[in-house]
Amino acid sequence: MDSVATLDIFSLLTSLWINRFYIYLALAVGISLWICFHIVIRKQDKNSQEKCVSKETQNLMANGYISDQKKVFVSGVKIFYGSQTGTAKGFAMNLAEEIISLDLPVIIINLKEYDPDDHLVEEVTSKNVCVFLVATYTDGRPTESAEWFSKWLEEASSDFRFGKTYLKGMRYAVFGLGNSAYVNHFNKVGKNFDKWLWMLGAHRVVTHGEGDCNVVQSKHGSIEADFTAWKTKFLSQLQALQKGEKKACGGNCRKGKCRSKWQSSEEMEPESPLQDRLHHRDTEEEELFESTSEEESGPEDHESLNSIVDVEDLGKIMNHMKKDKSMLRGRGGCYKHTFYGIESHRCMETTPSLACANKCVFCWRHHTNPVGTEWRWKMDHPEMILKEAIENHQNMIKQFKGVPGVKEERFKEGMTVKHCALSLVGEPIMYPEINQFLKLLHECKISSFLVTNAQFPVEIRNLKPVTQLYVSVDASTKESLKKIDRPLFKDFWQRFLDSLKALVAKQQRTVYRLTLVKAWNVDELQAYAELVSLGSPDFIEVKGVTYCGESSASSLTMANVPWHEEVVRFVRELVDLISGYEIACEHEHSNCLLIAHKKFKIDGEWWTWIDYDRFQDLIQEYEHSGGSKTFSTKDYMAKTPHWALFGASERGFDPKDIRHQRKIKSKSLSGC
């Protein structure tokens, strides 16, 4: 029996083995059917659930519990006003009531309490519509409450660092209040606000309105009626924008595009190639009914942005408003603060001579200043120049009164000039009374920083002591100097060399200023090293040129702008070629480094800063002695703080201040 059972099991196993492929096939088919069955079941369950949810949703919508989700085109309205007598504020409140009736949130903002540096760029993505109600005050100036905002807009609109797309996406409308009895200044502030916002790329939703206090000339009989007429137009546009409708703004338009009233009709002829070229930049969103500077700009707007600027001269374009504002608000100073301890808000930049003997490719003046090889113009007295320069500085500081963030103690300090940089434009040393002007500065306890273009060696030798004397060394060979500085003197190279040699005899601080222009002068290391040995300066400032757009006066492009890392590499290589010098300080933000002679490194610590009080004592002793009691650089040097040193984590930013990163929407324009 056991053998028979064993045989049956063996036969069964043999049969299974022989038919194993059929068994595998059956199992595969079975598994496939099982999978398909479950897929069908799950699909049916899902469809059933969707139908159930759809019916429930429809029921809820029918009963008002759920509404259709619509795209939000306007999230709210911000009304900014600048008022002197309260009229603009009253209009703001009136407009707010009307907007609230459209179920839109409204915020009313006094321009005096608003910081455009920190917040205006936020309106690019906020989906708000910003309304500006601004009055024109005495002599075409803004009211006190709007003065700072107006100044900021003016500077930003012509500052290449912001660009023509800085406020692209922001939507705005402007209504100005004025009096046509003052023909030359009628509604000047409102027109300027409209223009400057437009130049920054903001979208105008309605043509700017003009209210006239002169009832005789008022278009609608009174300023209130003028505002009501404009308000009606604006509210109509606002409602259209809420719905996402395409609608012309109702102004002087073509194909739904606004034309600014401040532009002449000749500038906007339909066949204008410039206009046709700019219209290619329109976007689908702009075609609702908005207008931007990209669509309307004329030649004069392009010219305002076209220049090549030395990094040090950026503040000159804006009358130093930016560096002073930054220092007043505790947001850091310029590179001179890092290198030498200058208080930027107390530094007055001016010049006694607009004329120059060079036509440098990076001249920020577009070569509009006079040029010549000798003084042949009417000369102002040094006393008058100094008096008006101080007054202009104080008036500039006064404009920051009440500006958000300005520190009271620094505002008070800024009213007293402590430093003077004679480098605004031109060649200061050409001024026949330059030594008398320097004497007046020192009598007022104002330190002197004089910059020369190294074309007047005799005048350099005859120059009385200054706190610090700069010589611009823009190139190191005759060929490159001619190409970059474009000097007027035929013997420019010999004059250049003699000017450098004249520095050796100077007992006070001397500085070489090197402006790096890629592909023009960055490969001349050995030649630069030879020039250093020629003049033996105390310091060498090395900084990169900054690109500011195209210019007919220059062929420089973005390719000529060195990155900060490239400037650092150049400086390292230069220091390896010159004995007795080391890298002392760095100001990354200005794309600038300072090479200092080792005599300013005492016991392993740098002393590149200046003891300004000590200098004033020394210069007065020098004057009282008739020049017999001299002094040297070591007599008024001060210890450099650790944060200003090359290699410090602060990269030249004073830790006592708070670093503020501007919210830049547009792409950076420069390598630094």
Side-chain angles (χ1 to χ4, degrees), residues 200-396:
L200 287 168
H203 304 273
R204 181 191 297 116
V205 301
V206 65
T207 305
H208 80 272
E210 296 183 354
D212 192 353
C213 291
N214 185 351
V215 295
V216 177
Q217 297 294 329
S218 173
K219 187 174 181 180
H220 300 91
S222 69
I223 191 170
E224 290 80 10
D226 291 336
F227 175 69
T228 300
W230 177 86
K231 178 180 67 174
T232 301
K233 185 190 303 181
F234 168 74
L235 292 174
S236 175
Q237 301 286 24
L238 184 62
Q239 288 176 298
L241 186 56
Q242 272 187 286
K243 301 173 184 177
E245 295 178 356
K246 294 184 179 181
K247 182 178 180 181
C249 73
N252 182 18
C253 302
R254 181 174 68 88
K255 295 182 180 179
K257 306 299 181 184
C258 293
R259 296 187 196 174
S260 303
K261 289 185 178 181
W262 52 270
Q263 281 188 293
S264 64
S265 58
E266 290 80 8
E267 292 172 343
M268 298 301 297
E269 286 295 326
E271 63 272 11
S272 168
L274 175 62
Q275 184 184 359
D276 293 339
R277 187 166 65 252
L278 292 172
H279 272 289
H280 286 303
R281 301 177 65 178
D282 298 341
T283 65
E284 184 175 322
E285 180 184 357
E286 292 165 11
E287 288 176 354
L288 286 172
F289 47 80
E290 300 168 305
S291 171
T292 71
S293 59
E294 295 175 335
E295 300 160 3
E296 301 179 21
S297 58
E300 71 282 358
D301 302 309
H302 291 279
E303 290 174 3
S304 68
L305 300 176
N306 295 339
S307 63
I308 302 292
V309 186
D310 183 350
V311 170
E312 181 189 87
D313 293 331
L314 290 175
K316 300 170 187 175
I317 300 177
M318 303 303 162
N319 296 323
H320 308 285
M321 292 292 287
K322 293 195 176 298
K323 69 179 179 64
D324 288 334
K325 177 191 67 176
S326 181
M327 198 71 170
L328 288 169
R329 302 167 86 188
R331 293 183 174 181
C334 73
Y335 78 90
K336 293 189 187 77
H337 173 64
T338 299
F339 293 174
Y340 315 118
I342 283 180
E343 298 170 274
S344 301
H345 60 305
R346 304 183 69 182
C347 181
M348 170 184 71
E349 190 151 12
T350 187
T351 181
S353 170
L354 292 174
C356 186
N358 288 346
K359 299 179 70 175
C360 303
V361 295
F362 45 71
C363 178
W364 66 274
R365 292 279 298 185
H366 295 267
H367 310 127
T368 56
N369 54 305
V371 293
T373 57
E374 61 182 3
W375 187 272
R376 51 187 176 85
W377 299 276
K378 179 182 177 181
M379 186 186 73
D380 292 325
H381 295 295
E383 292 82 4
M384 186 200 76
I385 295 175
L386 178 59
K387 177 177 177 292
E388 293 189 359
I390 293 175
E391 289 176 353
N392 288 336
H393 173 85
Q394 292 174 337
N395 290 335
M396 180 185 66

Side-chain angles (χ1 to χ4, degrees), residues 307-308 359-362 367 483-484 486 517-520 547 549-561:
S307 63
I308 302 292
K359 299 179 70 175
C360 303
V361 295
F362 45 71
H367 310 127
K483 182 170 61 174
I484 293 175
R486 298 188 287 192
V517 186
K518 268 169 66 173
W520 286 43
Y547 182 66
E550 296 179 359
S551 171
S552 59
S554 172
S555 60
L556 296 187
T557 68
M558 274 298 300
N560 300 115
V561 180

Side-chain angles (χ1 to χ4, degrees), residues 134-148:
V134 288
T136 299
Y137 200 44
T138 308
D139 296 327
R141 296 179 59 82
T143 60
E144 183 180 338
S145 61
E147 192 168 13
W148 165 243

